[in-house]
Amino acid sequence: MYCQKCRLLFEGRLCPKCGKDRHARAPEASDPCFLIERGEPWSSMLADVLKQHGIPAIVSGRMGAGLATRVGSFLESSRFYVRYDDYERANAIVDELFGDDAPR
Ligand SMILES: [Zn+2]
């Protein structure tokens, strides 16, 4: 299932993040799906590798852009979203880079 609010893919009935089924539906190919959250230098590395594989990703920082530049981008943690039809491939890349038990 896919939660439209959290942009999260999950198994079962309830979204593990918002704990509801209200926003859940079957995923569609163009849905942005939450992949992983990483800080630097991993986020730049992952962005590069995804680009090399031709996987378009939406990357959003946790902090506002203005604040992030002031504090220093290495402190910023980035969230990666990929299209549902790229998700499996992107997930395999993440496993390769960070290992199966990498914290998401
Ligand atoms: Zn949710």
Side-chain angles (χ1 to χ4, degrees), residues 7-101:
R7 296 175 170 183
L8 190 71
L9 285 174
F10 59 96
E11 308 267 339
R13 203 172 61 85
L14 298 177
C15 170
K17 198 170 170 203
C18 60
K20 290 173 188 165
D21 63 0
R22 196 149 54 97
H23 312 284
R25 60 166 167 77
E28 284 166 21
S30 61
D31 285 335
C33 302
F34 176 71
L35 183 66
I36 193 169
E37 179 171 343
R38 279 286 143 137
E40 295 290 359
W42 308 111
S43 54
S44 306
M45 199 172 99
L46 180 60
D48 273 358
V49 176
L50 288 174
K51 205 184 288 173
Q52 281 164 27
H53 284 76
I55 299 175
I58 304 165
V59 184
S60 70
R62 188 187 264 170
M63 293 187 252
L67 184 67
T69 9
R70 234 177 299 150
V71 179
S73 61
F74 65 95
L75 286 173
E76 193 187 7
S77 177
S78 303
R79 289 177 186 183
F80 286 78
Y81 300 88
V82 294
R83 285 168 53 101
Y84 176 62
D85 53 1
D86 290 326
Y87 183 80
E88 296 243 331
R89 274 202 307 150
N91 211 24
I93 290 168
V94 167
D95 281 350
E96 215 170 281
L97 281 178
F98 306 122
D100 285 334
D101 53 2

